[in-house]
Amino acid sequence: MANFFKDNDDIQFLLMHMDLGTLARTVEEDFRFAAEFESAPVDEADAVENYRLVLDSLGRLSGDFIAPRAESVDREGNTLNSDGSVSYAKGIAESLEKLAQAQVMGFTLPHRFGGLNFPNVIYSAAIEIVSRADASLMNIFGLQGIAETINAFADEPIKQRYLHDFSAGKVTGAMVLTEPDAGSDLQSVKLRAFKDANDRWFLHGVKRFITNGCGEVLLVLARSEPDRGGGLGLSLFVCDRGPTVHIRRLEDKLGIHGSPTCEIFFDNTPCEIIGERQRGLVTYVMSLMNGARIGIAAQSMGIAEAAFRVARDYAASRAQFGVPIEKLPAVRDMVIDMKLAIEAGRALLYETSRVVDREIGCMKAVENPPQDKELAKQLKNDSRKYKRCAGMLTPMSKYYCSEMCNRVTYDSIQVLGGSGFMRDYPVERHARDARITTIYEGTSQLQIVAAVRGVCSGTAENLMAEYAEQSYTPEVHDLLERLAEGRELLKKGVAFVKDNGNDYMDLYGRALVDVAIDLINGYLLCRQASTNVEMQVQTAEPGVAIPMRQRKAQMARRYILRNAPKIEALVDMVCAGDKSTFTAYEVLAGPVPTD
């Protein structure tokens, strides 16, 4: 029986390597819920065991049930019926039913709504596991952030109306944000929210590119202040799918065919406001999208893992020139680089999820601060620190993991050669599914704009300084010296950018963010190489196993030494001062095509 949790040594290692007990204590608020809810853990060991049991169950469901249906889901797609309803592909409908039965549709919701109250780290692992089985299913399973947003910002009656059904898997939702003329620029949203004479809210207008827009519960960003442009004129609303919500079309897409992408017309649809007026974009949607970006990073991990496994098997079994193609240096390099990129991405994603969990825990604690003034002050400082780190790491994770996913699926096709281009193997589907990950929930370019602010403000340096103070095995001390050299180069690049203004920072933001990510990942891999976890892992040589820390040390060495020249080259490019993008665009880009 396939199990997409048990067969992944790296996920299992990371969950042992990380301090899940402390995270459990944070999200369970010192396990105070155990007295009220039978499902709530009583201590750290109970919580961690529960995490593993749920991931094990989800891993079996993903391997045995969801993955075998993915190909037929891709070919069948969704159907817009004549009455305006949408029918999922058969495999999607069946998988959603199984996920509801497994009680995993309320991963991070509180116990009082029937949720699991799990930390984001575990939810990220779950999304990766499901995405490896079927990336398009994740687009529905991974929309649990809608319920989280309702829980975080809505009034209690709204929470009671919707959240129990979300946890039970009775309803799915949609983030209804973008419009024909408002994609990345959500400040331009025009869909109108208005009140009638009885002080009831209604929605009128069109939304486009809405993932699972046929869901039962819709979170809608709308302009509630007709006389005010920009983000401060927007509020967030919730409405039910009903007779005034019309699905006008389903988009015909390159990939993720099992996920319905809808154009919706709201014809004076009754709704309720979430939280306060004018905070829809600035507060609520930004929170929603940050969670969604971590979800896309996890989805990217699952797609990359699935594609790599096909390529790894093919490289070992396909013979050319009298030997398996994995004996050829060029193929070996590709296989190793894919594997290393995946593990680096997973390290970054799980660290980001951990920081977000700590940020949420500190925010809750600040609401009820301790009596001791020094402790209260430290709590506030920690809250600010984790907020800054989460604000930088979230776009970094989304950017790195989605770009990595596209490279890995591309290279997986290359390893398979002509066979990879055919539908006989799933890598062409993985490549099509991967392509959207660098686009939705904010393009890679927008993630860089967000992340580079953290790099240039000192957040990245402060985080790495904290990493550098941790304890490491002597085996990686020389690597830490290389990372320290890289940090000095990054400081040089940041100083040059600051001297040349914001436009220059945006122009070379990608280079700076790439350097920062390579350094952060380097520290994370060195920490993994210094782990206390006793775990043996198999090598490709039959019957030969080595300690995971030994394997991670080799991974860290290759990653850091291979990236060191790249870091130097990127900083040299930043400091070269080339502004031809601004000064010679018309000449270099040429005229707009007229045909």
Side-chain angles (χ1 to χ4, degrees), residues 285-305:
V285 169
M286 287 299 101
S287 173
L288 176 64
M289 290 191 71
N290 280 335
R293 285 166 178 169
I294 293 176
I296 301 307
Q299 180 186 44
S300 300
M301 292 303 313
I303 297 170
E305 180 72 28

Side-chain angles (χ1 to χ4, degrees), residues 299-337:
Q299 180 186 44
S300 300
M301 292 303 313
I303 297 170
E305 180 72 28
F308 169 77
R309 285 172 178 259
V310 178
R312 181 70 188 90
D313 177 71
Y314 192 89
S317 59
R318 172 68 168 170
Q320 291 287 278
F321 310 107
V323 295
I325 61 172
E326 70 173 357
K327 298 292 185 181
L328 305 175
V331 176
R332 284 192 162 200
D333 245 4
M334 291 172 68
V335 170
I336 292 172
D337 287 347

Side-chain angles (χ1 to χ4, degrees), residues 413-567:
I413 291 177
Q414 195 70 15
V415 169
L416 270 69
S419 295
F421 195 67
M422 306 301 166
R423 300 198 75 170
D424 298 343
Y425 289 87
V427 287
E428 60 83 27
R429 167 166 54 86
H430 298 321
R432 287 187 287 107
D433 289 346
R435 191 61 193 88
I436 189 62
T437 61
T438 62
I439 299 171
Y440 60 9
E441 308 308 341
T443 64
S444 289
Q445 289 69 31
L446 287 179
Q447 304 312 304
I448 289 165
V449 168
V452 76
R453 268 64 186 170
V455 175
C456 290
S457 69
T459 299
E461 170 56 28
N462 291 338
L463 180 63
M464 288 186 283
E466 188 176 306
Y467 290 155
E469 292 298 315
Q470 295 174 356
S471 176
Y472 294 90
T473 177
E475 191 175 353
V476 299
H477 282 181
D478 63 315
L479 300 179
L480 296 173
E481 292 176 5
R482 298 302 294 269
L483 292 174
E485 293 169 5
R487 284 166 58 194
E488 291 304 313
L489 287 171
L490 179 59
K491 290 177 187 177
K492 175 184 173 184
V494 167
F496 189 90
V497 162
K498 285 184 173 180
D499 288 341
N500 283 271
N502 285 339
D503 285 345
Y504 196 82
M505 178 171 64
D506 288 339
L507 178 61
Y508 287 98
R510 185 167 194 152
L512 291 178
V513 171
D514 282 347
V515 170
I517 290 173
D518 286 346
L519 293 171
I520 289 169
N521 283 343
Y523 278 110
L524 294 175
L525 290 171
C526 284
R527 282 295 305 139
Q528 292 176 20
S530 307
T531 187
N532 293 321
V533 174
E534 297 292 341
M535 179 180 179
Q536 294 285 313
V537 289
Q538 292 295 317
T539 68
E541 190 174 347
V544 177
I546 62 172
M548 178 61 96
R549 67 170 65 90
Q550 180 181 334
R551 181 181 174 279
K552 287 293 186 178
Q554 293 189 40
M555 298 291 270
R557 184 163 298 278
R558 181 178 174 103
Y559 185 88
I560 292 167
L561 295 183
R562 288 280 179 118
N563 279 324
K566 186 184 86 171
I567 288 171

